[in-house]
Amino acid sequence: MINSFPQTLTIAGSDSGGGAGMEADLKTMQMRHVFGTAVLVAITAQNTIGVQKAVPLSPDIIDAQFKSIADDFKIRACKTGMLADSTRVHTVAENLKKYDFGPLIVDPVMVAKGGAPLLTEDAVKTVIDELLPLAYLVTPNLPEAEKLAGMKITSEDEMVVAAKKIQALGPKNVLVKGGHLLADSQASDFTLLANGDHFWMNSERVHTKRTHGTGDTISSCIVAELAKGRTLEEAIRIAKHYVTATIIHTIQVGHGHGPLNHWAAEGGF
């Protein structure tokens, strides 16, 4: 019975404001009824207004955290979030080759909601070369998808083209989140699966600034559902429903890009 309970891992930076990063990941995992663990890659001084300072941790302590997790826990699925720079991306990729932590979800975090960079320019290439080939699923928003695919995305047709280009970089499955595509009242996300199948998910657009941590939350929910034995399509659809609920049922916290309400959908599905 030891380690029989579903366990997950987030590899990310810390958000001192609690709305994104490792904090959002662990809140989501808890709400989805799995046990979340964490490898901390960077520390930020951050709130809903912006990122005031960010400090990456040394590769030695990152390596040590990975070993500690592997020595004691049975991780069924994992994800990456903020990885700071090329050195930390390389360190994380090497550890993910070393340890079996189940399917890897890569949330290629590049810029904070307030506009502060969370990944250096040279690290984007390291993500493409070293991390994406390890990914079971990558979950870029539109600006991130543009960086990875090397193209502008201004329509749903271009989202499909970008997904195919990103899949060619190595990840088995690709979820392109269309929240930044302000063409209509719908927020549409496109998923391209490893076997060539694909599907769209649509939700009513909610006009609010309280969306800090949406990328962390949807990727963490997918990780949690995979750890519980869901198929990838089931996990993605549940995560879309969950993150939509956290946005709709808002909470009033902070003066800027406020956090999601992670317990909004408790018990709902």
Side-chain angles (χ1 to χ4, degrees):
M1 295 297 291
I2 293 175
N3 279 336
S4 61
F5 193 82
Q7 296 158 60
T8 55
L9 169 65
T10 171
I11 306 152
S14 171
D15 172 4
S16 58
M22 179 188 69
E23 287 78 4
D25 293 337
L26 293 176
K27 289 174 184 178
T28 302
M29 291 170 180
Q30 183 78 8
M31 291 309 304
R32 300 313 302 162
H33 300 172
V34 300
F35 183 82
T37 64
V39 167
L40 185 60
V41 173
I43 298 170
T44 68
Q46 184 176 171
N47 52 30
T48 66
I49 299 169
V51 179
Q52 291 78 46
K53 191 174 180 63
V55 178
L57 299 186
S58 72
D60 284 349
I61 189 61
I62 294 171
D63 289 341
Q65 290 176 85
F66 270 102
K67 186 177 187 307
S68 290
I69 298 297
D71 284 349
D72 192 31
F73 300 97
K74 176 58 179 175
I75 304 300
R76 298 189 188 180
C78 65
K79 64 151 289 186
T80 60
M82 174 198 176
L83 299 181
D85 58 24
S86 183
T87 297
R88 277 75 194 173
V89 175
H90 174 73
T91 300
V92 167
E94 288 301 301
N95 276 284
L96 288 169
K97 293 175 189 174
K98 185 175 181 180
Y99 302 111
D100 180 10
F101 289 148
L104 167 67
I105 312 305
V106 173
D107 179 16
V109 177
M110 296 180 185
V111 178
K113 269 291 186 295
L118 296 177
L119 188 71
T120 59
E121 281 295 323
D122 64 311
V124 176
K125 185 177 187 305
T126 313
V127 167
I128 292 171
D129 292 345
E130 299 188 34
L131 198 59
L132 291 193
L134 306 177
Y136 180 58
L137 173 71
V138 61
T139 63
N141 60 28
L142 288 192
E144 292 159 353
E146 288 180 337
K147 282 269 191 183
L148 297 177
M151 61 177 284
K152 286 294 291 181
I153 304 173
T154 59
S155 68
E156 291 186 353
D157 287 344
E158 289 173 347
M159 287 174 65
V160 175
V161 173
K164 292 177 180 178
K165 287 189 173 186
I166 293 168
Q167 190 179 58
L169 297 173
K172 294 180 176 64
N173 306 279
V174 181
L175 165 60
V176 178
K177 299 171 293 187
H180 289 78
L181 193 65
L182 302 176
D184 55 31
S185 61
Q186 294 281 314
S188 300
D189 302 332
F190 177 73
T191 300
L192 177 62
L193 299 175
N195 63 4
D197 290 347
H198 62 271
F199 60 92
W200 287 91
M201 298 181 297
N202 301 308
S203 61
E204 289 297 319
R205 187 176 298 281
V206 181
H207 296 283
T208 176
K209 285 180 67 178
R210 302 192 175 279
T211 56
H212 185 47
T214 51
D216 309 276
T217 298
I218 196 168
S219 56
S220 295
C221 187
I222 293 168
V223 167
E225 298 306 319
L226 289 175
K228 293 187 289 187
R230 303 274 193 183
T231 68
L232 179 59
E233 182 170 348
E234 288 173 335
I236 290 172
R237 290 188 182 278
I238 288 171
K240 172 72 170 179
H241 181 65
Y242 175 72
V243 78
T244 300
T246 65
I247 295 171
I248 291 173
H249 301 288
T250 186
I251 52 175
Q252 302 302 308
V253 174
H255 295 82
H257 294 279
L260 306 178
N261 178 3
H262 285 96
W263 61 86
E266 183 174 10
F269 51 94

